[in-house]
Amino acid sequence: MAMVGQQKFIPPTVKPPHKQLPLPVLIYRLIRNPIEAWGQEFYHQPLVELQHGSRQTVFVLSSDLIHKVLVADSENFSKNPVDKRILAQALGNGILLAEGDEWRWQRRTAAPLFRHDVVMDCIPTMAAAADRLLESWKSDLDNAVRPIDHEMSLVTFDVIQETLLKGRNAFDGQLVAGNISRYLQPISWLVAYDFLRLPNWMPHPGMFKMQRSARILRQEVLNLVRSRKDDAERSEDLLAKLLSARDPETGKSMPESLVVDNLLTFLAAGHETTALALTWSLFLIASVPEWQQRIYEEVVNVAGDRPVSADMVNRLPQTQNVIKEALRLYPPASIVSRQAIASTEIGNIRIKKNAIVMMPIFIIHRHYGNWQDPEIFDPNRFAPENDVAREKFAFMPFGTGKRSCIGATFAMTEAQVILATLVRKVWFETTPATHPKPLLRVTLRPDKGLPLKIRFR
Ligand code: HEM
């Protein structure tokens, strides 16, 4: 972690290898932290092709090539089967993993809940969740150290329950968030096994814990689905939408297991990612007090002491730019990947059928062809005067194309409301134990959590 003159903060990252790694080292790094396996050339070239045995893997890093894979030629690519391998035990064939008509139906069913006006109606719930967190901190002594990553996970879990499930206590937040985290912990083993073409049943460290967490999560959600079946038609939330959805082809309702798949998908995709956006934002502003002060002044000017409301979110550009810069440096969903359905071309490279195409958002956001001084924290990159020249897909924390994040507006709004509400009341500082290194476990987390000192203003 280094300060280069005033305001030039270089946040911690991984050290990319200089030369191609021998296979055992590559596998070790894939298991330990996949972002440590990608070499320096990835940060400079538009495309990197790797061939291991008969497997072709292509890393696509420039804007025009990303556009080709995710937008222009998206019909030639399916989701990467490794996503299924690592997530299907818990998320089944829900919206994140489904393909074709099965996916389209699920996406159409959920879409009305993510319309702009519906998201704006969620703002009071988001602000109230942040206020409850502040309330819970009030009994702390000044300079108490809080596990911010954990606290953000609980607050965003509260929000997702209350908005998508219209009830604060539908689930035990600690239980669900804890099991999602335990499920994700050993996942790199499955990625490495996939790379080595080893079968799914082959034991790996943490396998039983992972299976147990998946069972607990699915049972929790199933209990809720069954308890709500009778009154679902009267309600307007996600569960009601899923229970009343009809397949356009057959007219049949969604099987119970698919309702569980989807509910769990939204709980998982909808809280952990936003919690990490907030966690990394708080780390960055605790490290660069000038930016923390700027956000504080902005929110006091716009909102005074009132709760942040829908008419205010567009008037908090500095807050928004800090969150965008946190999403750039530490994209919570750090990889989007696909598999080629048929042979095709990307750039001048021939892509074989079944080749894997990776778009590592973590690198795209730190690529020297896309950004000036990409390693430096600088929210001003997103100020309107600097925002125009950039390549279109140099910044893509929510993916792009038809499979892009359905919850992008929800997430940005929530992060803004919660960050503004917290910073208005509390001053955050790093401690000697605050040395977060980004660790990729499907989502990008601080490897040892994020302890921060808090002091009420
Ligand atoms: C900062 C927060 C978030 C980030 C960085 C993020 C990132 C992403 C990315 C990159 C994808 C695309 C995956 C792909 O193309 O393979 C995605 C998809 C998805 N996200 Fe998010 N997301 C966030 C918040 C949310 C929220 C709040 C929700 C719901 C409440 C959500 C629900 C989903 C779903 C359901 C999909 C799958 C969409 C589909 O395949 O049709 N996400 N997200």
Side-chain angles (χ1 to χ4, degrees):
M1 204 182 311
M3 276 292 232
V4 187
Q6 219 195 6
Q7 284 199 11
K8 289 207 171 159
F9 173 58
I10 301 182
T13 186
V14 291
K15 213 170 176 178
H18 281 280
K19 48 183 194 317
Q20 204 167 353
L21 298 170
L23 193 60
V25 182
L26 178 69
I27 297 202
Y28 170 70
R29 291 207 182 188
L30 279 177
I31 293 171
R32 195 178 65 176
N33 190 8
I35 51 175
E36 290 182 5
W38 303 328
Q40 288 221 319
E41 72 277 19
F42 286 60
Y43 293 77
H44 294 272
Q45 294 177 12
L47 185 145
V48 176
E49 183 189 9
L50 301 179
Q51 191 79 41
H52 289 107
S54 60
R55 170 175 297 210
Q56 184 191 28
T57 307
V58 178
F59 287 78
V60 171
L61 304 151
S62 73
S63 192
D64 53 334
L65 302 182
I66 293 167
H67 177 264
K68 183 173 164 71
V69 178
L70 292 179
V71 183
D73 280 358
S74 65
E75 297 305 324
N76 284 331
F77 298 93
S78 63
K79 287 230 141 180
N80 183 350
V82 79
D83 288 353
K84 272 212 165 78
R85 184 167 186 168
I86 62 183
L87 296 173
Q89 272 185 64
L91 306 184
N93 198 31
I95 178 171
L96 190 69
L97 300 174
E99 300 278 0
D101 289 344
E102 186 77 19
W103 163 74
R104 240 180 303 281
W105 175 40
Q106 298 179 42
R107 179 105 186 182
R108 227 180 287 135
T109 301
L113 292 164
F114 294 94
R115 276 200 333 253
H116 187 264
D117 56 319
V118 179
V119 173
M120 292 301 115
D121 287 346
C122 297
I123 288 178
T125 308
M126 295 165 176
D131 276 334
R132 282 198 300 278
L133 180 63
L134 285 170
E135 210 43 56
S136 76
W137 285 349
K138 273 210 170 124
S139 57
D140 281 358
L141 296 173
D142 256 2
N143 292 326
V145 175
R146 282 278 174 179
I148 292 297
D149 52 322
H150 178 68
E151 312 250 358
M152 292 306 113
S153 177
L154 294 181
V155 79
T156 54
F157 191 79
D158 260 11
V159 170
I160 205 84
Q161 282 205 81
E162 268 196 82
T163 50
L164 292 187
L165 290 172
K166 299 276 181 270
R168 200 184 302 165
N169 299 315
F171 297 110
D172 174 345
Q174 299 265 13
L175 180 87
V176 175
N179 277 295
I180 290 175
S181 191
R182 273 190 288 285
Y183 181 85
L184 296 178
Q185 203 56 38
I187 237 156
S188 303
W189 284 96
L190 287 177
V191 176
Y193 276 23
D194 185 77
F195 183 77
L196 294 168
R197 310 244 160 138
L198 297 175
N200 234 2
W201 52 261
M202 204 155 155
H204 60 79
M207 182 167 98
F208 295 115
K209 276 192 194 153
M210 208 175 158
Q211 289 169 346
R212 185 163 178 273
S213 291
R215 262 197 320 274
I216 294 173
L217 288 167
R218 293 191 64 86
Q219 190 59 50
E220 272 285 298
V221 173
L222 181 64
N223 292 344
L224 179 79
V225 171
R226 290 196 171 151
S227 74
R228 283 276 311 275
K229 250 187 177 156
D230 296 335
D231 70 345
E233 306 276 331
R234 289 196 295 278
S235 174
E236 291 274 289
D237 64 4
L238 177 68
L239 181 51
K241 288 253 181 297
L242 295 171
L243 286 171
S244 58
R246 294 288 171 268
D247 186 320
E249 296 283 305
T250 63
K252 284 191 184 150
S253 55
M254 225 178 245
E256 190 176 66
S257 66
L258 195 54
V259 174
V260 172
D261 294 346
N262 273 303
L263 217 47
L264 202 46
T265 300
F266 278 96
L267 284 176
H271 95 281
E272 178 69 11
T273 43
T274 315
L276 286 166
L278 280 160
T279 299
W280 289 113
S281 299
L282 285 167
F283 163 64
L284 291 165
I285 58 169
S287 305
V288 185
E290 295 92 313
W291 272 100
Q292 187 165 180
Q293 186 60 19
R294 261 192 227 192
I295 295 188
Y296 168 76
E297 283 166 18
E298 179 175 79
V299 64
V300 167
N301 278 338
V302 170
D305 235 2
R306 288 165 298 146
V308 176
S309 58
D311 61 311
M312 293 172 193
V313 283
N314 279 338
R315 288 153 54 210
L316 299 171
Q318 311 270 26
T319 313
Q320 197 177 86
N321 292 347
V322 164
I323 295 164
K324 284 185 176 171
E325 183 65 344
L327 288 171
R328 181 185 74 82
L329 287 162
Y330 301 109
S334 284
I335 305 181
V336 164
S337 63
R338 298 288 186 265
Q339 183 174 40
I341 293 170
S343 61
T344 179
E345 269 184 14
I346 304 177
N348 296 325
I349 302 278
R350 186 102 207 107
I351 306 291
K352 293 184 212 147
K353 181 180 173 188
N354 294 335
I356 300 298
V357 180
M358 309 277 280
M359 281 137 295
I361 300 176
F362 181 82
I363 296 184
I364 293 164
H365 284 182
R366 291 167 178 263
H367 196 277
Y368 287 85
N370 292 333
W371 302 90
Q372 200 179 351
D373 301 326
E375 63 287 355
I376 290 175
F377 167 71
D378 179 11
N380 276 334
R381 299 172 194 279
F382 294 98
E385 62 277 18
N386 303 326
D387 214 10
V388 279
R390 190 178 325 115
E391 294 283 351
K392 191 154 180 224
F393 302 113
F395 182 62
M396 48 172 283
F398 298 103
T400 191
K402 64 180 184 182
R403 299 299 298 251
S404 69
C405 182
I406 196 171
T409 305
F410 187 99
M412 275 309 290
T413 308
E414 180 182 3
Q416 241 183 302
V417 171
I418 294 179
L419 187 63
T421 306
L422 297 181
V423 168
R424 178 171 51 187
K425 293 285 181 223
V426 168
W427 180 254
F428 295 88
E429 274 174 35
T430 56
T431 77
T434 315
H435 288 295
K437 212 175 83 179
L439 172 73
L440 185 58
R441 291 279 179 273
V442 179
T443 50
L444 193 74
R445 333 138 145 230
D447 60 343
K448 296 188 182 73
L450 185 73
L452 287 183
K453 229 187 268 173
I454 60 165
R455 180 162 52 78
F456 274 82
R457 283 177 177 270

